[in-house]
Amino acid sequence: MNLASSRLLLPRSLRHSSPLSYYSCSSSRRLLSTTPVAAPDGYTASNDEVARLATNPLKPLTLRDLVRFGRPPLSPQALLASARFTREFLPIRLCRRIVALRNLPFIIVSNPHVASIYDNYQQSLRIVQSFPVSHPNTLAEEVAFTEMLIDIVKTHANTIPTLARGFLECRRYISPAEATKFLDHHLRARIGTRLMAEQHIALHLASTTSSVTNNSPIDYDGGSDTYIGTIDTALQPAHIIESCASFVGDICELRYGVRPQLRIDGDPEVRFPYIPVHLEYIITELLKNAFRATVEAGSTVPIIVTIAAAPESAGITIRIRDQGGGIAPEDIGQIWSYSFSTFDQERSVAGGGNGGGTRDPAGDDALGRFNEVVGAAEGSSIAGLGYGLPLSRAYAEYFGGSLKVQSAFGWGTDVYLKLKGVGIGDFGGPGMEGLSGHHDDI
Amino acid sequence: MYSTCRSRSFQSSAVHQWRSSVVLDSYVEKPARPISLRQLIFFGGRNLDERRIIDFANYVRSELPVRIAHRIRDMQKLPYVVVTNRHLSEVYELYYSAFDAFRKIPEIKTVEDNDNFCQVVKRTLKEHLTVIPSLAMGVLECRDLVPPEELDKFMNRILRSRISRRVIAEQHLALTDTFNSPFHFPDSSPHHHTGADFVGEVFPRCNAREVVETVGKHAQDLAREANGPDSRVPEIQIEGHLDTTFPYILSHIEYIIGELLRNSIQATVDRHSSAAELPPIKILICHAPQHVIFRVSDRGGGVPADELADLWSFAKGPRPQARLQNFSQVPKMAATLQELQKTSHTHSRREGQDSSLSTLTSRPPHLRLGMGLPMSRVYAEYWAGSLELHSLEGYGTDVFLQISKLGNKSEQLNLDGV
């Protein structure tokens, strides 16, 4: 909540001042590939090495992997083990993305946006590989490693919108279906990769008092002892729903002058282990849709959020029910597609070629502006691109959950978010293995 | 008729009466001729006269044996061990008798011919009342012999075909009734509106709220009968577009809503047995431009995650033995409840309509068959609708039934899924 509010207060120029900030595409390629940390010893991954690493076996990331080093504060040994685990598997994941990009048609990767992402991945791989295998072995090395991770996480913050813009510009040369498939795969793979990096960063922050804290890109609640890195082992969905609702309500009030009411029923007390930033992102997206529909339908009926807890902590279901008029049947087929194919068509580069052109990086339709302001955990970078639902579903499905939308056109919409929980308190109860990244990059 | 069918099928499950396949072959070679909704209406309405009645009679006469022949051939392709299952064997015999009966009827030339034909049709419809439970039991018993997916496909096909045959048969009976009624004057029949709310004899205008209220009360009564007169039943609350009407086959919509409410009531009663008050079942009626949507929300605890995957399967799913046990009580009731139906239950308004559904609808709610949802989905999808379920495990269930407004589509829609 605090994080989100503070983002809201940032001037727009600042919010876009990530390393990927740009206005003109023509000369942006070099600019885009700036990387905060240079590879210390000039190490370069050869093409062969990328191909070899990419074929290394890779299991989907599981919550068990994330908690295997124990509850923070970690002992130096455990912290180093976590770092080495990340050091071992991060390059494989990066290589797989590099290979996927390399297999795209040449004309696509020549696009400055896509090329910048390709460069980012190559660069990140170089940096990680510059750490010797089976390191870090000392706490000093570990600090350097963590700082490097933080830089990588930041560098890749805008990957999806940048890729989407690239594909948008290339839409003459790649079918929407192919582009969607690539983006979807990339996005899902990226969830695991980021999680792996962020988990170590969070474990580091919770286990040491080193100075990298100020530089952290992630929302880490260091004061709570229910956290294991990025995972809150006693996450209370009602709490997140309330804070997201209050935040989205603020935006609504600001933009529309009204604040729809929201009621939580079912089992508001329930707690389960999950990654708060993921849930926060999903809930914010879903509430944005529900609030906006309610306001635009002129409805005063409260949005009802029902929390259901399955027996034996098997998981939770959250139903968000609004009376905002539902979704027209002709639009229902579109809700899961990345709207880059239709996004801002009028304003995008007329030739659709790689020459680029000058345009506002943010979406400019009404929803786009709304989304842009409301952009949550994933960062405002995604905002305005109509990514909310497909990305939310990707997050939900990552650990075996689901997201379904049911519309009664002329009345309202019901959204069903299912998330699996596990007995994480003992670091690996039954069902833990099942809780893996189903759509992970394997 | 009912009892003879049963005893015949039970006398020997291993040896079927030998029949030459040549005759069947010649019918299987003929494609079914689907009828469009528009044609279905056209035969009735203000166009109803002797020539049209006889034309339609001959269409039904030649169409029924062809459509049945295709399903018999379907069954013949199943493994021997499956068709010799006593329940499926019973269906097989029923189908073959009906096939023989219909194919031997000579061309219908007079109104008298037609009246005789209608007698055969009525008799056959009644004989086949037990087909659905028999099929369902057969499929359950054979689920270890054939991949369940194949059984489900078979089941879907045979049920859709059954709907298609019964619709044209019942349409013909209804037209003949209208034609024979002393009040029938061409061009003046009050039944034959052409508005979007009314599509011919088989699709009367259904009032969504009335359907829910009638079926709901029936389901509540059945629950009280089963659980005792002092037992509690959840209240049924209706919200949304309460004056929604739409053309549909009444027995189909009543069957589907009935199954949904039966599930919701029983789940609510089971879950809140010790609570002071039962949470109500909430039904939303939403009138969209092309559809009518019913949303049934209960707080019966939802569907366990491990049962969700098999929810729409006839062959899979938990507790097959218990379900078979329950099934075995349904066919026995078919004949008697059928009688009851006509006098005591208001919602079987038209004689000859798919009353095997009423039989199922009238079974006690604790007789769990595990086929209410898959059956309802077959019926919903047959008329270009859909049925979806969302479980909030630990809380309750939402089911969405979407009905296509057939009246709007009569021009282009070819719904006769033979």
Side-chain angles (χ1 to χ4, degrees):
Chain A
M1 182 56 218
N2 291 334
L3 173 81
S5 307
S6 61
R7 181 176 292 121
L8 175 66
L9 297 172
L10 282 176
R12 181 174 164 144
S13 57
L14 267 182
R15 275 187 283 113
H16 287 281
S17 67
S18 65
L20 297 186
S21 170
Y22 54 87
Y23 289 94
S24 163
C25 302
S26 51
S27 64
S28 61
R29 180 156 175 188
R30 290 275 44 112
L31 222 155
L32 288 169
S33 56
T34 43
T35 314
V37 178
D41 59 353
Y43 172 87
T44 308
S46 70
N47 284 352
D48 287 352
E49 189 175 8
V50 169
R52 182 182 60 75
L53 274 172
T55 56
N56 272 9
L58 187 60
K59 279 194 314 179
L61 191 64
T62 63
L63 277 188
R64 188 198 287 277
D65 291 330
L66 296 179
V67 301
R68 63 194 286 179
F69 303 106
R71 212 177 261 278
L74 299 187
S75 68
Q77 287 72 25
L79 189 62
L80 288 172
S82 166
R84 285 195 295 269
F85 172 79
T86 313
R87 164 66 185 85
E88 181 182 355
F89 287 102
L90 197 58
I92 303 176
R93 291 174 169 272
L94 293 172
C95 284
R96 289 186 181 214
R97 292 296 85 215
I98 292 172
V99 167
L101 281 158
R102 281 178 179 177
N103 288 332
L104 285 171
F106 179 79
I107 193 167
I108 308 288
V109 190
S110 309
N111 174 281
H113 300 294
V114 182
S116 73
I117 297 305
Y118 181 64
D119 286 351
N120 283 348
Y121 274 94
Q122 297 255 58
Q123 181 80 352
S124 298
L125 177 68
R126 274 196 294 275
I127 296 168
V128 183
Q129 291 291 80
S130 69
F131 267 84
V133 181
S134 306
H135 279 252
N137 283 330
T138 66
L139 285 181
E141 271 184 349
E142 194 276 333
V143 170
F145 181 75
T146 304
E147 280 175 341
M148 176 204 74
L149 285 182
I150 290 172
D151 279 325
I152 288 177
V153 166
K154 277 182 175 172
T155 301
H156 291 264
N158 276 0
T159 295
I160 295 296
T162 308
L163 275 180
R165 292 204 176 97
F167 279 106
L168 179 67
E169 291 179 3
C170 295
R171 66 185 181 278
R172 275 184 173 187
Y173 316 116
I174 188 166
S175 72
E178 275 178 274
T180 300
K181 195 176 153 204
F182 182 88
L183 279 173
D184 201 54
H185 193 91
H186 194 92
L187 191 150
R188 287 166 191 267
R190 185 173 169 273
I191 293 174
T193 310
R194 286 182 80 81
L195 202 50
M196 180 180 276
E198 286 171 353
Q199 180 70 1
H200 180 72
I201 297 168
L203 288 175
H204 173 97
L205 294 177
S207 308
T208 67
T209 50
S210 84
S211 59
V212 299
T213 315
N214 302 335
N215 208 11
S216 168
I218 55 171
D219 182 17
Y220 174 68
D221 182 359
S224 170
D225 56 3
T226 61
Y227 276 70
I228 301 177
T230 56
I231 300 165
D232 185 351
T233 56
L235 183 150
Q236 191 175 0
H239 176 72
I240 286 199
I241 292 163
E242 268 163 11
S243 73
C244 292
S246 138
F247 168 57
V248 178
D250 285 348
I251 302 300
C252 256
E253 202 155 12
L254 195 71
R255 191 155 290 278
Y256 296 102
V258 266
R259 176 190 284 263
Q261 295 304 301
L262 180 135
R263 251 189 16 232
I264 297 177
D265 67 10
D267 192 351
E269 299 304 318
V270 69
R271 290 170 176 273
F272 80 125
Y274 211 71
I275 297 163
V277 286
H278 286 190
L279 186 62
E280 200 173 278
Y281 176 78
I282 298 170
I283 294 291
T284 305
E285 285 301 324
L286 300 181
L287 289 185
K288 268 155 55 184
N289 292 338
F291 274 52
R292 179 169 172 255
T294 301
V295 170
E296 292 187 351
S299 167
T300 54
V301 182
I303 292 150
I304 309 286
V305 180
T306 305
I307 302 169
E312 290 157 21
S313 305
I316 61 153
T317 311
I318 299 173
R319 178 185 64 195
I320 299 177
R321 174 172 281 181
D322 72 60
Q323 263 187 56
I327 303 162
E330 59 267 30
D331 295 335
I332 206 96
Q334 311 298 314
I335 60 172
W336 299 113
S337 66
Y338 301 96
S339 63
F340 71 91
S341 54
T342 53
F343 156 74
D344 207 9
Q345 296 251 358
E346 306 266 309
R347 293 169 47 98
S348 69
V349 188
N354 291 331
T358 306
R359 48 190 290 271
D360 192 319
D364 218 17
D365 60 310
L367 175 61
R369 275 196 299 271
F370 185 71
N371 277 341
E372 177 200 337
V373 182
V374 184
E378 175 67 14
S380 56
S381 53
I382 305 275
L385 283 165
Y387 276 53
L389 275 178
L391 190 52
S392 296
R393 185 166 67 176
Y395 275 119
E397 288 177 355
Y398 193 80
F399 287 115
S402 67
L403 180 64
K404 287 179 179 149
V405 173
Q406 188 82 53
S407 150
F409 186 47
W411 185 264
T413 305
D414 288 353
V415 181
Y416 301 86
L417 171 67
K418 250 186 224 302
L419 300 172
K420 276 193 189 171
V422 281
I424 211 167
D426 56 355
F427 299 173
M432 198 73 157
E433 289 294 359
L435 206 66
S436 63
H438 283 223
H439 299 268
D440 209 348
D441 190 12
I442 49 174
Chain B
M1 183 53 61
Y2 173 75
S3 59
T4 57
C5 287
R6 275 186 77 80
S7 58
R8 173 149 44 85
S9 70
F10 278 115
Q11 64 187 317
S12 159
S13 60
V15 183
H16 287 275
Q17 183 187 338
W18 184 86
R19 296 175 176 105
S20 159
S21 65
V22 178
V23 179
L24 190 74
D25 286 347
S26 68
Y27 279 85
V28 171
E29 278 160 21
K30 293 180 196 167
R33 293 178 296 158
I35 188 170
S36 72
L37 213 50
R38 182 177 159 76
Q39 285 170 300
L40 211 56
I41 306 157
F42 180 75
F43 271 112
R46 57 182 65 235
N47 307 303
L48 190 63
D49 58 21
E50 187 176 325
R51 191 176 59 79
R52 286 187 199 284
I53 275 284
I54 289 176
D55 277 356
F56 195 66
N58 279 307
Y59 168 75
V60 176
R61 179 187 66 91
S62 57
E63 196 62 14
L64 288 181
V66 173
R67 295 188 183 192
I68 296 174
H70 282 99
R71 299 293 74 82
I72 293 174
R73 180 51 46 87
D74 269 1
M75 295 187 81
Q76 290 175 339
K77 288 178 178 169
L78 290 172
Y80 186 77
V81 64
V82 172
V83 188
T84 47
N85 170 277
R86 58 187 178 134
H87 303 295
L88 295 179
S89 160
E90 183 183 329
V91 174
Y92 184 81
E93 288 300 321
L94 277 173
Y95 272 29
Y96 228 120
S97 315
F99 168 69
D100 277 335
F102 282 119
R103 74 181 170 89
K104 285 174 184 161
I105 295 174
E107 187 187 348
I108 294 154
K109 291 181 171 142
T110 65
V111 174
E112 289 72 38
D113 287 351
N114 182 48
D115 288 343
N116 290 332
F117 175 62
C118 286
Q119 287 314 307
V120 180
V121 172
K122 269 186 205 162
R123 200 175 62 227
T124 314
L125 285 177
K126 204 174 171 194
E127 278 174 14
H128 285 227
L129 283 182
T130 56
V131 161
I132 291 179
S134 294
L135 282 171
M137 283 188 283
V139 159
L140 268 185
E141 287 183 354
C142 295
R143 69 187 208 160
D144 297 328
L145 305 173
V146 180
E149 296 74 23
E150 270 179 47
L151 286 176
D152 278 328
K153 250 192 256 172
F154 164 76
M155 199 61 179
N156 271 286
R157 212 162 42 227
I158 206 164
L159 285 174
R160 288 181 69 87
S161 171
R162 186 172 188 276
I163 298 172
S164 84
R165 294 191 311 269
R166 291 182 91 91
V167 166
I168 59 171
E170 282 159 9
Q171 168 76 339
H172 181 60
L173 291 182
L175 290 181
T176 301
D177 273 357
T178 308
F179 180 73
N180 287 340
S181 92
F183 306 106
H184 173 67
F185 303 103
D187 300 334
S188 66
S189 166
H191 291 295
H192 305 128
H193 312 290
T194 47
D197 265 357
F198 190 87
V199 190
E201 295 283 348
V202 280
F203 301 98
R205 190 171 71 166
C206 300
N207 180 306
R209 180 188 187 170
E210 277 176 20
V211 167
V212 173
E213 281 172 350
T214 310
V215 175
K217 187 174 176 310
H218 183 54
Q220 288 172 322
D221 289 346
L222 283 169
R224 274 194 207 94
E225 271 173 42
N227 303 337
D230 298 330
S231 62
R232 300 171 306 164
V233 291
E235 190 193 339
I236 295 173
Q237 295 174 353
I238 309 175
E239 64 172 342
H241 306 129
L242 298 182
D243 49 2
T244 301
T245 62
F246 59 101
Y248 212 72
I249 295 183
L250 194 60
S251 64
H252 288 191
I253 188 73
E254 285 182 338
Y255 169 70
I256 301 172
I257 301 277
E259 285 295 332
L260 302 183
L261 287 178
R262 161 197 308 282
N263 287 341
S264 289
I265 288 174
Q266 198 60 37
T268 305
V269 169
D270 289 350
R271 174 143 179 111
H272 299 272
S273 54
S274 56
E277 238 176 289
L278 293 180
I281 294 161
K282 291 187 178 167
I283 299 190
L284 167 71
I285 297 166
C286 171
H287 195 167
Q290 301 295 326
H291 300 104
V292 177
I293 296 157
F294 295 85
R295 181 186 68 197
V296 180
S297 302
D298 68 54
R299 289 182 52 188
V303 182
D306 55 347
E307 289 181 20
L308 272 179
D310 297 336
L311 211 51
W312 304 103
S313 168
F314 290 98
K316 291 184 270 187
R319 300 179 293 277
Q321 288 314 317
R323 283 153 62 193
L324 277 170
Q325 193 68 38
N326 290 341
F327 257 121
S328 66
Q329 303 180 40
V330 175
K332 282 179 204 146
M333 303 187 297
T336 50
L337 268 175
Q338 183 57 28
E339 303 300 317
L340 261 179
Q341 205 74 68
K342 282 176 197 157
T343 52
S344 71
H345 296 306
T346 51
H347 67 288
S348 182
R349 282 163 208 153
R350 185 187 290 284
E351 190 184 352
Q353 289 257 344
D354 204 335
S355 32
S356 54
L357 291 178
S358 317
T359 303
L360 288 166
T361 308
S362 301
R363 75 184 189 274
H366 60 273
L367 266 192
R368 296 195 173 177
L369 306 179
M371 63 172 237
L373 284 175
M375 271 277 289
S376 297
R377 179 177 264 188
V378 171
Y379 274 82
E381 288 180 350
Y382 188 85
W383 300 110
S386 65
L387 186 64
E388 282 174 83
L389 179 142
H390 302 276
S391 161
L392 290 92
E393 197 184 353
Y395 181 82
T397 307
D398 290 354
V399 184
F400 284 76
L401 167 67
Q402 182 165 285
I403 297 294
S404 269
K405 282 160 72 181
L406 304 173
N408 289 349
K409 295 189 176 179
S410 58
E411 294 291 333
Q412 73 274 38
L413 214 62
N414 197 348
L415 283 173
D416 188 8
V418 287

